[in-house]
Amino acid sequence: MEDIQSYPDFRNIEIQRVGIKDLHLPFYILEKEGGSQGVLANINLSVNLSQNFKGTHLSRFVEILNKWRKKCISSLELERILKETKEKLITKEANIYLKFKYFIKKQAPLSKSESILDYDCEFIGFLNKSNYRFVLGVSVPITALCPCSKVISRFGAHNQRGFIHARVEFSKGFLWIEDLVNLLEEQGSSPVYPLLKRADEKHLTERAYQNAKFVEDILRDAILVLRKNKKILWFQIECEDFESIHNHSTFAYQEEYLRRKNNLKKQ
Amino acid sequence: MEDIQSYPDFRNIEIQRVGIKDLHLPFYILEKEGGSQGVLANINLSVNLSQNFKGTHLSRFVEILNKWRKKCISSLELERILKETKEKLITKEANIYLKFKYFIKKQAPLSKSESILDYDCEFIGFLNKSNYRFVLGVSVPITALCPCSKVISRFGAHNQRGFIHARVEFSKGFLWIEDLVNLLEEQGSSPVYPLLKRADEKHLTERAYQNAKFVEDILRDAILVLRKNKKILWFQIECEDFESIHNHSTFAYQEEYLRRKNNLKKQ
Amino acid sequence: MEDIQSYPDFRNIEIQRVGIKDLHLPFYILEKEGGSQGVLANINLSVNLSQNFKGTHLSRFVEILNKWRKKCISSLELERILKETKEKLITKEANIYLKFKYFIKKQAPLSKSESILDYDCEFIGFLNKSNYRFVLGVSVPITALCPCSKVISRFGAHNQRGFIHARVEFSKGFLWIEDLVNLLEEQGSSPVYPLLKRADEKHLTERAYQNAKFVEDILRDAILVLRKNKKILWFQIECEDFESIHNHSTFAYQEEYLRRKNNLKKQ
Amino acid sequence: MEDIQSYPDFRNIEIQRVGIKDLHLPFYILEKEGGSQGVLANINLSVNLSQNFKGTHLSRFVEILNKWRKKCISSLELERILKETKEKLITKEANIYLKFKYFIKKQAPLSKSESILDYDCEFIGFLNKSNYRFVLGVSVPITALCPCSKVISRFGAHNQRGFIHARVEFSKGFLWIEDLVNLLEEQGSSPVYPLLKRADEKHLTERAYQNAKFVEDILRDAILVLRKNKKILWFQIECEDFESIHNHSTFAYQEEYLRRKNNLKKQ
């Protein structure tokens, strides 16, 4: 049967990325407190394509990924997936993006009621000839209470759900999702919880009121804690507040190269 | 050229709805204060299909709709579109759903700063042999401030953006989008605005604090004003709060037949 | 601490549904071939609210659901969740909606290459005083090839990804997700697979070409198999094709009460 | 009334972007064939924030944008909006993103039936001290027919809706949305149309079959035409096919600096 993909191509264009998108597979991820957690990933896997060939063999991407389904994945395993992809497809580069929800146990501040909260996370891996890089992304819901509204009003202050979206690249070693979430969660006016008793609700309402923060404050405080973490080489962070007095959002954004120079390639 | 759609069908199944979905076209809509407003509609148009035929001629739907593009539409024009669709397709029923954003001028409460706010709206039309029915849908953003949080806390109260999604059927005559929005907007703890000066922000923060409402309260108050409106025959309403202390929403839902009995067919 | 929710209410309105929305939790679901599968559910849980009370205690919903996390759920367990919700909230009715992705093993038709395909599924439970009802929903991706395009063209025929979205209510007993998916998947021009070798691609391309079907044909054939299944009391089905020659979709819709009369309440 | 935003800040962090997101406003855009078209934009407007100040005055963004509503906007007007934003907010940089649907008239290839097709477009503007840059983005739906499926199968070939998403930066002068769309639309196996008669459907089915293209082919052909256009300084392009035989997509991506060196800042 003919293999059209392997035909020569005469347009003389090396393609930067060719691959598959929106494939879904289940994996496991190690939890900080021991054990592992099943996650359901939306996957995007791609390679570069030499100017010599007409096409890529995309079924091989699905084949490689299926071997890892229901297995534990972290930065190391993504590197192995990318290596195998590079070898099987005979390319110079391979990239992977995984998006998934990850659950972390939360204890309500006073009642200690336990529940679990879902965080949208990303694992991003880049492999070229000489270099492997890994980026961890998390989206952390928080409460944000407006300092301006608080100061000018006789009582109350508008507040809303916000998100801290962060992507960080770190050096060899490990950064637990739990630790990164924890770091960022503290930078809102207050964390959010799935399960709160009345005593907890009082506590959090008062905490947020005493800890009023603009989206700019949340971003700056998050930048300070990220800069302090010696493992982090690069970060990109966006804070977003779903304003309760508007039908639009406010946001603040920052990208910093702390301990590395080269650019992170865009998806 | 063969017309496969007109072939006889022997499965003996009359299909309730066949049509097109997610077609986009621009129309105009009359504004209450005079003039008209260009809107961009996502359209869903369908008919029933007799058991005698294999298929529907879907290009005719697009043809009919294109004749109305950039024209003014309201309940009356939708009825004409449905009539033409029924005739051209030789069917007993035709249904249309239009979703679009509609802008309404807003004046900030104290500074009187003017801006416009977008509301997601729907026009829904049902035409069968003897009867035409029209439903208007609006989604109204509001601020909702939690009465529980207010009472138990020494200061502050969690609040958040919420939405009142309502669909109403009314008798012959007219109900302005502006009037329905107005009616519902007043039922939140406070309305939202795109443009607010500091004096306005103070005013709204205090208003929301003094007007604490659960999602249940907002629903009940909205039901009361809808029941009072003599034109309204049927309504469906859902209030939803994007809780600022949680990562999930709360909601309350009601459907009432005020002055009619028969069921509204589901999309 | 005051319990505002339990305050009396004087508006004299019984609310049909009050609850939480978009809460995420992991559960397990029994697989037909034995064992179970971890799923990640988006949950909507609600009750009616008596006219006597101002509010509902929404934290109890989260508490009840958290007891079931990481446990096996099916129709029976949902009934127990609803019973407990009714008791704890002292209401007459409780309703639950779960949406989740469920994976089923697929073997490519000729190469027998194995992979898993994700299906969007729903579990819906309704409990009132005397009656419990359970609805299973599945969304099945398929290939649809246009009979008109095939007959009028000298070669080729436009085809596209389509979906069969079905919700079925069945009598006491069990209907495996796998069985419902299987039943519907056969009604497209061809099924879809995550992993296909060249021989499979040839097989499926030819199969689809020889099995040309309008969205109306797919709907009718699906209706025939659903009607034949003795367990099914009610169904709602929508077929949708993402037309490859248009930027809009075509769809066909049917709802049938096979062995029961009463209405399914809308969400 | 206190102006908290103007308070000094001691964290010594200049913020790269602070602004508003998901604000909706109507504008007009000049059409190539004369006249103008009303569009509905989703807007994101931001500035940098000096390390000296605690916050930004976000209401001014809304104020500035509201002055332009229902007016004609193009690259020039965006530059004026950014200049005013920079001046009013006393910052060094300002950025704007507008997303909107834009309609272009289409004539069916044989019947000449006329209809209009919607394209998702973007206007992106960057202004710093010395430099203004403008980027135009378009998403063009096409039909893509698989060369492998065609060659290996005795009849038929799988095909699907695909999209060419392109962002281009061009030098002083003008590039009509219509011209960029036209350029790219020709690179699929065939264009798509809202309204097709049977003769057109035959024509397009056969054209796509005779013009089989992988996602890699579509990307390379699009790159060739973009490179040839002397006005284009930089482009980013992604082709995506919603595979009709899979439940995932394939994609190919390229970014090229043709006549400029500096990086496009990420959103």
mmCIF file of all heavy atoms in Angstrom, chain D residues 138-165:
data_model
loop_
_atom_site.group_PDB
_atom_site.id
_atom_site.type_symbol
_atom_site.label_atom_id
_atom_site.label_comp_id
_atom_site.label_asym_id
_atom_site.label_seq_id
_atom_site.Cartn_x
_atom_site.Cartn_y
_atom_site.Cartn_z
ATOM 1 N N VAL D 138 -6.856 36.194 10.997
ATOM 2 C CA VAL D 138 -8.091 35.654 10.401
ATOM 3 C C VAL D 138 -8.117 34.138 10.594
ATOM 4 O O VAL D 138 -7.073 33.493 10.616
ATOM 5 C CB VAL D 138 -8.199 35.953 8.879
ATOM 6 C CG1 VAL D 138 -8.274 37.445 8.627
ATOM 7 C CG2 VAL D 138 -7.049 35.352 8.105
ATOM 8 N N SER D 139 -9.325 33.588 10.737
ATOM 9 C CA SER D 139 -9.519 32.131 10.771
ATOM 10 C C SER D 139 -10.388 31.762 9.579
ATOM 11 O O SER D 139 -11.541 32.185 9.499
ATOM 12 C CB SER D 139 -10.214 31.702 12.059
ATOM 13 O OG SER D 139 -9.307 31.681 13.118
ATOM 14 N N VAL D 140 -9.839 30.968 8.676
ATOM 15 C CA VAL D 140 -10.513 30.695 7.415
ATOM 16 C C VAL D 140 -10.927 29.223 7.349
ATOM 17 O O VAL D 140 -10.065 28.343 7.333
ATOM 18 C CB VAL D 140 -9.575 31.024 6.236
ATOM 19 C CG1 VAL D 140 -10.269 30.781 4.915
ATOM 20 C CG2 VAL D 140 -9.076 32.456 6.338
ATOM 21 N N PRO D 141 -12.247 28.951 7.327
ATOM 22 C CA PRO D 141 -12.691 27.553 7.214
ATOM 23 C C PRO D 141 -12.463 27.045 5.792
ATOM 24 O O PRO D 141 -12.659 27.793 4.825
ATOM 25 C CB PRO D 141 -14.183 27.633 7.532
ATOM 26 C CG PRO D 141 -14.584 29.029 7.218
ATOM 27 C CD PRO D 141 -13.371 29.895 7.433
ATOM 28 N N ILE D 142 -12.053 25.797 5.676
ATOM 29 C CA ILE D 142 -11.813 25.182 4.363
ATOM 30 C C ILE D 142 -12.232 23.707 4.416
ATOM 31 O O ILE D 142 -12.491 23.172 5.490
ATOM 32 C CB ILE D 142 -10.314 25.223 4.002
ATOM 33 C CG1 ILE D 142 -9.496 24.730 5.225
ATOM 34 C CG2 ILE D 142 -9.846 26.596 3.596
ATOM 35 C CD1 ILE D 142 -8.394 23.816 4.896
ATOM 36 N N THR D 143 -12.285 23.079 3.266
ATOM 37 C CA THR D 143 -12.405 21.622 3.201
ATOM 38 C C THR D 143 -11.017 21.042 2.969
ATOM 39 O O THR D 143 -10.261 21.566 2.147
ATOM 40 C CB THR D 143 -13.291 21.195 2.013
ATOM 41 O OG1 THR D 143 -14.540 21.871 2.102
ATOM 42 C CG2 THR D 143 -13.520 19.698 2.007
ATOM 43 N N ALA D 144 -10.682 19.976 3.704
ATOM 44 C CA ALA D 144 -9.390 19.306 3.521
ATOM 45 C C ALA D 144 -9.661 17.844 3.189
ATOM 46 O O ALA D 144 -10.368 17.158 3.932
ATOM 47 C CB ALA D 144 -8.555 19.415 4.786
ATOM 48 N N LEU D 145 -9.109 17.363 2.072
ATOM 49 C CA LEU D 145 -9.311 15.961 1.680
ATOM 50 C C LEU D 145 -7.977 15.217 1.724
ATOM 51 O O LEU D 145 -6.984 15.660 1.150
ATOM 52 C CB LEU D 145 -9.928 15.901 0.279
ATOM 53 C CG LEU D 145 -10.345 14.506 -0.207
ATOM 54 C CD1 LEU D 145 -11.697 14.536 -0.925
ATOM 55 C CD2 LEU D 145 -9.272 13.857 -1.072
ATOM 56 N N CYS D 146 -7.963 14.077 2.387
ATOM 57 C CA CYS D 146 -6.724 13.349 2.710
ATOM 58 C C CYS D 146 -6.135 12.618 1.496
ATOM 59 O O CYS D 146 -6.762 11.711 0.941
ATOM 60 C CB CYS D 146 -7.018 12.341 3.811
ATOM 61 S SG CYS D 146 -5.605 11.328 4.239
ATOM 62 N N PRO D 147 -4.905 12.952 1.095
ATOM 63 C CA PRO D 147 -4.271 12.304 -0.060
ATOM 64 C C PRO D 147 -4.010 10.818 0.169
ATOM 65 O O PRO D 147 -4.098 10.021 -0.773
ATOM 66 C CB PRO D 147 -2.931 13.043 -0.191
ATOM 67 C CG PRO D 147 -3.058 14.288 0.601
ATOM 68 C CD PRO D 147 -4.053 14.011 1.672
ATOM 69 N N CYS D 148 -3.699 10.446 1.402
ATOM 70 C CA CYS D 148 -3.410 9.044 1.687
ATOM 71 C C CYS D 148 -4.678 8.217 1.498
ATOM 72 O O CYS D 148 -4.697 7.217 0.787
ATOM 73 C CB CYS D 148 -2.870 8.922 3.112
ATOM 74 S SG CYS D 148 -2.711 7.233 3.686
ATOM 75 N N SER D 149 -5.756 8.671 2.149
ATOM 76 C CA SER D 149 -7.043 7.972 2.040
ATOM 77 C C SER D 149 -7.457 7.833 0.575
ATOM 78 O O SER D 149 -7.949 6.787 0.145
ATOM 79 C CB SER D 149 -8.098 8.758 2.829
ATOM 80 O OG SER D 149 -9.399 8.310 2.580
ATOM 81 N N LYS D 150 -7.232 8.873 -0.226
ATOM 82 C CA LYS D 150 -7.625 8.853 -1.634
ATOM 83 C C LYS D 150 -6.844 7.792 -2.424
ATOM 84 O O LYS D 150 -7.406 7.009 -3.183
ATOM 85 C CB LYS D 150 -7.377 10.233 -2.249
ATOM 86 C CG LYS D 150 -7.611 10.313 -3.745
ATOM 87 C CD LYS D 150 -7.229 11.687 -4.300
ATOM 88 C CE LYS D 150 -7.260 11.698 -5.813
ATOM 89 N NZ LYS D 150 -6.854 13.000 -6.366
ATOM 90 N N VAL D 151 -5.528 7.766 -2.212
ATOM 91 C CA VAL D 151 -4.679 6.876 -3.010
ATOM 92 C C VAL D 151 -4.892 5.416 -2.647
ATOM 93 O O VAL D 151 -4.899 4.538 -3.510
ATOM 94 C CB VAL D 151 -3.201 7.290 -2.843
ATOM 95 C CG1 VAL D 151 -2.270 6.188 -3.336
ATOM 96 C CG2 VAL D 151 -2.936 8.576 -3.610
ATOM 97 N N ILE D 152 -5.071 5.126 -1.368
ATOM 98 C CA ILE D 152 -5.162 3.719 -0.970
ATOM 99 C C ILE D 152 -6.562 3.140 -1.129
ATOM 100 O O ILE D 152 -6.719 1.921 -1.152
ATOM 101 C CB ILE D 152 -4.682 3.509 0.491
ATOM 102 C CG1 ILE D 152 -5.530 4.318 1.482
ATOM 103 C CG2 ILE D 152 -3.214 3.880 0.643
ATOM 104 C CD1 ILE D 152 -5.136 4.145 2.944
ATOM 105 N N SER D 153 -7.575 4.000 -1.278
ATOM 106 C CA SER D 153 -8.948 3.491 -1.320
ATOM 107 C C SER D 153 -9.430 3.323 -2.758
ATOM 108 O O SER D 153 -9.056 4.092 -3.638
ATOM 109 C CB SER D 153 -9.888 4.454 -0.584
ATOM 110 O OG SER D 153 -9.432 4.692 0.727
ATOM 111 N N ARG D 154 -10.277 2.348 -2.974
ATOM 112 C CA ARG D 154 -10.798 2.120 -4.319
ATOM 113 C C ARG D 154 -11.741 3.251 -4.732
ATOM 114 O O ARG D 154 -11.904 3.560 -5.901
ATOM 115 C CB ARG D 154 -11.534 0.768 -4.373
ATOM 116 C CG ARG D 154 -10.583 -0.424 -4.444
ATOM 117 C CD ARG D 154 -11.361 -1.721 -4.280
ATOM 118 N NE ARG D 154 -12.048 -1.749 -2.993
ATOM 119 C CZ ARG D 154 -13.163 -2.421 -2.735
ATOM 120 N NH1 ARG D 154 -13.739 -3.136 -3.702
ATOM 121 N NH2 ARG D 154 -13.717 -2.402 -1.542
ATOM 122 N N PHE D 155 -12.432 3.825 -3.775
ATOM 123 C CA PHE D 155 -13.336 4.949 -4.066
ATOM 124 C C PHE D 155 -13.469 5.805 -2.814
ATOM 125 O O PHE D 155 -13.290 5.331 -1.703
ATOM 126 C CB PHE D 155 -14.712 4.470 -4.522
ATOM 127 C CG PHE D 155 -15.117 3.154 -3.955
ATOM 128 C CD1 PHE D 155 -15.478 3.048 -2.619
ATOM 129 C CD2 PHE D 155 -15.098 1.994 -4.740
ATOM 130 C CE1 PHE D 155 -15.846 1.823 -2.081
ATOM 131 C CE2 PHE D 155 -15.456 0.762 -4.200
ATOM 132 C CZ PHE D 155 -15.836 0.671 -2.874
ATOM 133 N N GLY D 156 -13.767 7.080 -3.034
ATOM 134 C CA GLY D 156 -13.930 8.009 -1.917
ATOM 135 C C GLY D 156 -12.607 8.395 -1.288
ATOM 136 O O GLY D 156 -11.535 7.926 -1.704
ATOM 137 N N ALA D 157 -12.681 9.255 -0.312
ATOM 138 C CA ALA D 157 -11.516 9.712 0.449
ATOM 139 C C ALA D 157 -12.082 10.487 1.622
ATOM 140 O O ALA D 157 -13.016 11.272 1.450
ATOM 141 C CB ALA D 157 -10.633 10.626 -0.396
ATOM 142 N N HIS D 158 -11.510 10.282 2.810
ATOM 143 C CA HIS D 158 -12.095 11.036 3.926
ATOM 144 C C HIS D 158 -11.703 12.502 3.791
ATOM 145 O O HIS D 158 -10.617 12.841 3.342
ATOM 146 C CB HIS D 158 -11.733 10.430 5.282
ATOM 147 C CG HIS D 158 -10.366 10.714 5.797
ATOM 148 N ND1 HIS D 158 -10.036 11.899 6.420
ATOM 149 C CD2 HIS D 158 -9.242 9.966 5.811
ATOM 150 C CE1 HIS D 158 -8.777 11.866 6.787
ATOM 151 N NE2 HIS D 158 -8.258 10.703 6.433
ATOM 152 N N ASN D 159 -12.649 13.367 4.131
ATOM 153 C CA ASN D 159 -12.396 14.802 4.100
ATOM 154 C C ASN D 159 -13.133 15.436 5.268
ATOM 155 O O ASN D 159 -13.932 14.783 5.926
ATOM 156 C CB ASN D 159 -12.807 15.410 2.749
ATOM 157 C CG ASN D 159 -14.225 15.097 2.351
ATOM 158 O OD1 ASN D 159 -15.174 15.720 2.824
ATOM 159 N ND2 ASN D 159 -14.410 14.105 1.478
ATOM 160 N N GLN D 160 -12.831 16.697 5.588
ATOM 161 C CA GLN D 160 -13.368 17.310 6.797
ATOM 162 C C GLN D 160 -13.259 18.821 6.724
ATOM 163 O O GLN D 160 -12.562 19.333 5.871
ATOM 164 C CB GLN D 160 -12.610 16.826 8.037
ATOM 165 C CG GLN D 160 -11.102 16.886 7.917
ATOM 166 C CD GLN D 160 -10.540 15.565 7.399
ATOM 167 O OE1 GLN D 160 -11.051 14.502 7.731
ATOM 168 N NE2 GLN D 160 -9.538 15.615 6.558
ATOM 169 N N ARG D 161 -13.949 19.475 7.650
ATOM 170 C CA ARG D 161 -13.762 20.910 7.781
ATOM 171 C C ARG D 161 -12.412 21.159 8.442
ATOM 172 O O ARG D 161 -12.020 20.434 9.354
ATOM 173 C CB ARG D 161 -14.876 21.513 8.639
ATOM 174 C CG ARG D 161 -15.072 23.008 8.410
ATOM 175 C CD ARG D 161 -16.062 23.631 9.371
ATOM 176 N NE ARG D 161 -17.398 23.048 9.263
ATOM 177 C CZ ARG D 161 -18.348 23.202 10.182
ATOM 178 N NH1 ARG D 161 -18.109 23.921 11.274
ATOM 179 N NH2 ARG D 161 -19.529 22.647 10.024
ATOM 180 N N GLY D 162 -11.707 22.125 7.967
ATOM 181 C CA GLY D 162 -10.452 22.512 8.584
ATOM 182 C C GLY D 162 -10.441 24.013 8.751
ATOM 183 O O GLY D 162 -11.356 24.711 8.285
ATOM 184 N N PHE D 163 -9.430 24.525 9.438
ATOM 185 C CA PHE D 163 -9.284 25.973 9.595
ATOM 186 C C PHE D 163 -7.838 26.373 9.344
ATOM 187 O O PHE D 163 -6.915 25.656 9.728
ATOM 188 C CB PHE D 163 -9.680 26.428 11.007
ATOM 189 C CG PHE D 163 -11.154 26.617 11.170
ATOM 190 C CD1 PHE D 163 -11.964 25.576 11.572
ATOM 191 C CD2 PHE D 163 -11.741 27.836 10.865
ATOM 192 C CE1 PHE D 163 -13.337 25.740 11.690
ATOM 193 C CE2 PHE D 163 -13.113 28.012 10.988
ATOM 194 C CZ PHE D 163 -13.915 26.965 11.395
ATOM 195 N N ILE D 164 -7.660 27.499 8.677
ATOM 196 C CA ILE D 164 -6.348 28.129 8.604
ATOM 197 C C ILE D 164 -6.417 29.370 9.488
ATOM 198 O O ILE D 164 -7.147 30.307 9.178
ATOM 199 C CB ILE D 164 -5.980 28.540 7.161
ATOM 200 C CG1 ILE D 164 -6.074 27.328 6.224
ATOM 201 C CG2 ILE D 164 -4.587 29.145 7.110
ATOM 202 C CD1 ILE D 164 -5.816 27.652 4.751
ATOM 203 N N HIS D 165 -5.714 29.308 10.622
ATOM 204 C CA HIS D 165 -5.651 30.462 11.518
ATOM 205 C C HIS D 165 -4.350 31.198 11.226
ATOM 206 O O HIS D 165 -3.276 30.615 11.388
ATOM 207 C CB HIS D 165 -5.599 30.018 12.984
ATOM 208 C CG HIS D 165 -6.682 29.066 13.395
ATOM 209 N ND1 HIS D 165 -7.981 29.448 13.563
ATOM 210 C CD2 HIS D 165 -6.661 27.733 13.668
ATOM 211 C CE1 HIS D 165 -8.714 28.398 13.941
ATOM 212 N NE2 HIS D 165 -7.936 27.349 14.009
#
